[in-house]
Amino acid sequence: MTPESDAGDAAEGGSPAILSVGAAAIDEWYAVSNLPEPDGGAFAGEVTSAFGGVGANVAVALDRLGRDAGLVSRVGDDEYGRRALAYLAETGVDGTHVAVGDDPHTRSLILCDPDGERAIVTAGESFRGLRLDDDALAAMADADAVFLTAYAPDRAARRVLDRVESLREGAADSGATPPALIFDLSGSVEELIGRGTEPATIYRFLHRADLFVADGVAAPAFFGSAEAAVERIADAQTAPTDAGPESGSASRSRRGPTWPRAVLTHGADGMTAVAGGEVTEFDAFDVETVDTTGAGDAFTAGLIDRWIAGESAKASADSSAARDGVASGVRFAAAVAAINCTSRFTQPGLPTRSEVESFLAERGLGPDGSR
């Protein structure tokens, strides 16, 4: 996969550098008759494998949109790990900061039913052993954005956050622009504990990330309910900047009147965007779903493309224009996710920019998702 020549904003003056911290997994995909209930069963009519992992999915999705993306990860020194490295080498994703360890490579068993709904079980210790070396931390200083999935081990998540905060403090003195920070609460609390980012660290990201993303399972599990999630996120966004170090707002990178931002996704039921404390509901696009695996990662990549790396990322004092940028960005990201749902597996179905623009045009929308 190579970047498109019609990458829009990315083509002007070079693509922004976006570092994605997350797994490059192998997905073992089972097309099942049904998703089994407890003590139930199912029949797999087809078994195959594909490439996945939240970090790699986001990086490859950005690459397909024409962005300059790099992956910070750790793979196993086994057949699965070698396959992941070989695949990455065929994309435009920079794998300089992908380490190789002795642990079994991270892989996911995905059960997908005829309606495209799925259940996922992940095994393998390679990504859990991720350590951020000095080179990876140094690369963040040159990046325009750093994306982190909550599946990253807590020690790595804290180092990313500490590094970005340090860069923000330095930028306050030098006038430089620190990287934007994007955090994806990609799993429920019980799934993450002992495997990924711990609750106390997630709260730090809630108060410090420029963009906070969570799905319809992870957000209610962490905040107590979908309604509580929206309320807590809006409160975090509007906390006064002098609220003290525990609020985190004093060290936050403010990019304009609608920042920071968050989006809670609800699958086919749409999305809830919280921007600068203002809540807006959006509909999802109606498509013939084949496989929903990775749709959330595709959506997050679309948001990063439009809100962080694209023209709409520029701060605007015009609140109306800023709100329009929020809406168009959500629509663009929703289009990326919708197209992804029409193909089997995650990465083969990630669309190019021209494919997204055509999809939007067919629905009477501009190439950036604007009305």
Side-chain angles (χ1 to χ4, degrees):
M1 300 177 186
T2 56
E4 289 286 287
S5 59
D6 62 344
D9 300 324
E12 299 177 8
S15 299
I18 304 161
L19 279 179
S20 175
V21 183
I26 299 294
D27 291 342
E28 298 177 322
W29 195 87
Y30 284 62
V32 295
S33 56
N34 58 281
L35 294 182
E37 298 289 338
D39 297 323
F43 175 76
E46 181 183 356
V47 179
T48 187
S49 64
F51 298 95
V54 176
N57 288 344
V58 170
V60 172
L62 288 165
D63 172 47
R64 289 284 279 167
L65 292 171
R67 299 297 178 186
D68 178 11
L71 180 66
V72 179
S73 191
R74 184 173 183 268
V75 302
D77 186 15
D78 55 19
E79 176 190 354
Y80 291 105
R82 287 187 285 275
R83 286 174 58 194
L85 286 175
Y87 175 76
L88 280 174
E90 296 176 357
T91 73
V93 175
D94 184 346
T96 301
H97 303 292
V98 178
V100 179
D102 295 334
D103 308 301
H105 185 70
T106 300
R107 57 194 185 279
S108 295
L109 171 65
I110 299 175
L111 306 181
C112 185
D113 72 10
D115 294 326
E117 297 301 317
R118 77 274 190 272
I120 303 174
V121 177
T122 300
E125 297 292 316
S126 61
F127 184 61
R128 287 186 63 185
L130 176 67
R131 304 285 196 279
L132 295 182
D133 61 21
D134 291 341
D135 288 342
L137 292 171
M140 294 179 190
D142 297 324
D144 290 294
V146 178
F147 165 80
L148 182 88
T149 165
Y151 289 131
D154 192 67
R155 60 183 172 273
R158 284 184 278 111
R159 291 205 75 185
V160 169
L161 186 51
D162 291 344
R163 175 59 172 161
V164 172
E165 288 190 315
S166 175
L167 291 170
R168 287 177 177 175
E169 292 170 2
D173 297 328
S174 67
T177 302
L181 180 62
I182 305 103
F183 181 77
D184 178 18
L185 182 59
S186 16
S188 63
V189 178
E190 62 181 13
E191 182 184 0
L192 294 173
I193 289 185
R195 171 191 173 191
T197 303
E198 299 288 338
T201 308
I202 292 172
Y203 275 112
R204 287 183 65 196
F205 277 101
L206 173 63
H207 286 279
R208 290 158 170 78
D210 295 286
L211 173 57
F212 187 96
V213 184
D215 65 30
V217 173
F222 186 76
F223 294 100
S225 67
E227 294 75 14
V230 172
E231 182 178 350
R232 292 291 298 276
I233 290 170
D235 287 346
Q237 291 182 353
T238 56
T241 56
D242 60 352
E246 289 303 314
S247 74
S249 53
S251 63
R252 192 164 209 169
S253 174
R254 297 281 182 173
R255 303 163 60 91
T258 62
W259 289 90
R261 296 176 181 176
V263 180
L264 308 181
T265 61
H266 316 296
D269 293 328
M271 297 75 62
T272 302
V274 189
E278 184 174 330
V279 180
T280 310
E281 303 289 339
F282 294 91
D283 293 328
F285 290 109
D286 186 17
V287 295
E288 185 174 344
T289 298
V290 174
D291 182 7
T292 60
T293 307
D297 304 336
F299 180 82
T300 300
L303 290 181
I304 295 171
D305 178 84
R306 297 315 311 158
W307 284 356
I308 304 296
E311 183 68 23
S312 62
K314 295 181 179 179
S316 172
D318 185 337
S319 296
S320 176
R323 284 194 294 272
D324 288 344
V326 171
S328 62
V330 171
R331 295 188 202 104
F332 183 91
V336 176
I339 295 169
N340 184 246
C341 287
T342 62
S343 299
R344 289 201 310 174
F345 318 130
T346 299
Q347 295 183 21
L350 293 169
T352 62
R353 185 174 303 277
S354 60
E355 289 170 338
V356 178
E357 292 175 351
S358 296
F359 180 95
L360 291 167
E362 290 170 358
R363 289 153 180 80
L365 298 170
D368 61 350
S370 59
R371 290 194 183 281

